[in-house]
Amino acid sequence: MDKTLKLKLAFLKGRGKRMKIIVGPASKELAERISNLSGFGSVPVAFKVFPDGESYVRLDGSVQGEDVAIVQTTCPPAQDGRLFQLAFMADAAKRGGAKKVIAFVPYLAYARQDKTFLAGEGISVETVARMLKVAGIDELVTVNIHSESALAQFPFLAKTLSAIPLLAKYFVDKGFKSAFALSPDKGAMYIAQEAQAVLGGDCGHLNKSRDRFTGQTVQTAEGLNVKDQTVIILDDIISTGGTIVGAAKILREQGAKHVFCACVHGLLIGDAEKRILDAGVEEIVGTDSVPGNVSKVSLAPLLSEELKAQK
Ligand code: R5P
C-alpha cells in the first residue's frame, strides 16, 4: 500500500474522534509521526530552559474542550527535567480547558525503583505517578515498563504496551528469520517468547543475579544450546551495557555464530555502545523511546494504534 493511501486510511479511522497530540519537547519526532499515522492534529510546544536550569513550556494552540495525548519520553539525559516538562504540559492543558489528559510516556523514568529493595528506600516510580496525577494527568500509557505490576499502584489508569514484536520484525526484515531469541535474565523470558513468536526460531534465557549493595551482577547459562546459531539478545533496557556485554561473552563461549542485540529503551550510558560492539555484538537496535544512534525502530505505529483505540 502506498504512503498516501496509508495516511488517508489512518485519517479515516481517526475521523469523528476528537483528540489532539501535544508534542512534548523530548519526543518531537515521535509525536509528529504519531500525528501523521493517526490523523489527529498536533499542538506544538514552545519550551526553554532558563539560565538557572528551570524548565518553561507553553502550548502553542488551543486544547479547549479536547481530549489530549501528551507524547513525552523521560529518558536520560535530564530525566528529571523531562518529567517536570510533562507535568507542566499537563497542567497547561488542564488550565487551557482540556477534558482528558493522557500521557504517552514511552520510557518512564524511575520505573526500576518499583519496590523497597533495601530498608530506608522509597518507591520512586509511585512518587512520580502521584506527582503526575496532581499535575493533571488522567491516564498513562508507557512501553515495556520494567515491571508491569508497578502500574497497579498508580493513582490513575495506566498500561504498558510491548515493542518487542516491532523489534523482532526489524530482524525478520533484515533476513534473520528463525534467529534464536535470548533473554539475558529468566525474569524477562516473556520478552524472548514474544520475539520468538515473530522470528519463529528457538528461544531461551540466561540467569542473572544482582548484589543490591554493590550493583554487581553475575550471569550464567544452563542448558543453552546456541552453537552455530544467530542469536538476538533482547532486553527491555540497556543502561551501562554490562548485561549485554556479559551475555555476549557467554554466547561466544557457547559457539554462537552471530550475535545481535535489541532493546526497547537504549539508554546506552557512557561508552556502553562501544563496549557492546567491542564484545562482538554485530548491531544494537533500539526504539525511539530513547532517540539516538540505535533508535532504528519507531514506536509510532504502536502508539498511534493505541491512541485510536482510546476513544
Ligand atoms: C534489568 O533487570 C533490566 O532488564 C536490564 O537488564 C538492565 O537495566 C540493563 O542494565 P545494564 O545495561 O546496566 O546492564
Side-chain angles (χ1 to χ4, degrees):
M1 199 188 306
D2 80 23
K3 209 175 159 195
T4 327
L5 185 58
K6 261 191 189 164
L7 286 176
K8 222 171 182 174
L9 285 175
F11 175 78
L12 288 174
K13 205 167 167 189
R15 195 172 58 172
K17 298 174 180 173
R18 287 177 64 80
M19 173 74 77
K20 276 198 174 161
I21 296 169
I22 296 180
V23 181
S27 292
K28 206 164 174 295
E29 280 179 24
L30 175 60
E32 276 155 8
R33 278 191 191 139
I34 294 172
S35 171
N36 284 337
L37 282 178
S38 65
F40 294 130
S42 61
V43 176
V45 174
F47 75 100
K48 64 183 173 189
V49 177
F50 290 108
D52 61 4
E54 292 180 358
S55 292
Y56 165 93
V57 299
R58 179 176 54 81
L59 308 187
D60 201 4
S62 171
V63 293
Q64 177 66 46
E66 307 271 5
D67 287 352
V68 298
I70 304 174
V71 182
Q72 167 88 342
T73 199
T74 58
C75 62
Q79 54 271 59
D80 295 354
R82 288 171 169 175
L83 277 170
F84 270 96
Q85 287 174 342
L86 173 60
F88 296 159
M89 286 185 283
D91 177 53
K94 277 284 166 72
R95 288 176 195 270
K99 281 195 302 195
K100 182 158 97 175
V101 177
I102 310 167
F104 276 64
V105 189
Y107 177 77
L108 183 62
Y110 297 101
R112 283 177 288 176
Q113 184 69 29
D114 58 354
K115 292 184 186 68
T116 46
F117 297 99
L118 296 176
E121 291 177 352
I123 304 183
S124 311
V125 74
E126 286 184 24
T127 308
V128 165
R130 287 200 300 272
M131 283 168 47
L132 294 177
K133 168 82 179 167
V134 171
I137 283 168
D138 300 305
E139 284 181 30
L140 182 138
V141 176
T142 187
V143 181
N144 289 96
I145 191 166
H146 184 59
S147 163
E148 191 168 354
S149 58
L151 299 178
Q153 302 309 320
F154 283 19
F156 39 54
L157 193 66
K159 75 191 281 191
T160 182
L161 308 175
S162 180
I164 300 300
L166 291 175
L167 288 167
K169 185 173 177 302
Y170 174 91
F171 286 97
V172 170
D173 292 347
K174 283 196 82 164
F176 294 113
K177 194 155 174 54
S178 300
F180 189 105
L182 182 88
S183 164
D185 188 358
K186 189 176 181 187
M189 182 60 186
Y190 74 96
I191 291 181
Q193 285 164 338
E194 277 183 28
Q196 179 195 33
V198 177
L199 291 162
D202 288 332
C203 72
H205 65 84
L206 301 178
N207 296 310
K208 182 171 93 171
S209 60
R210 184 183 295 274
D211 182 316
R212 284 279 157 205
F213 285 98
T214 63
Q216 288 296 313
T217 56
V218 177
Q219 290 165 282
T220 54
E222 280 159 35
L224 192 71
N225 182 5
V226 291
K227 191 160 168 43
D228 295 328
Q229 297 225 43
T230 294
V231 183
I232 304 167
I233 313 167
L234 296 117
D235 210 350
D236 54 348
I237 301 172
I238 300 178
S239 182
T240 64
T243 302
I244 301 294
V245 168
K249 183 169 176 281
I250 292 175
L251 292 173
R252 270 205 323 272
E253 287 163 4
Q254 304 262 332
K257 192 168 167 194
H258 297 286
V259 178
F260 296 88
C261 81
C263 64
V264 181
H265 313 294
L267 306 182
L268 297 170
I269 305 302
D271 62 352
E273 188 176 347
K274 180 176 181 309
R275 288 175 52 237
I276 292 170
L277 296 173
D278 287 350
V281 173
E282 293 175 40
E283 186 179 355
I284 309 169
V285 180
T287 78
D288 49 5
S289 85
V290 183
N293 284 352
V294 307
S295 51
K296 301 169 188 175
V297 171
S298 180
L299 297 173
L302 184 70
L303 296 179
S304 61
E305 282 311 307
E306 174 61 27
L307 198 55
K308 284 185 279 180
Q310 280 276 326
K311 299 283 287 179

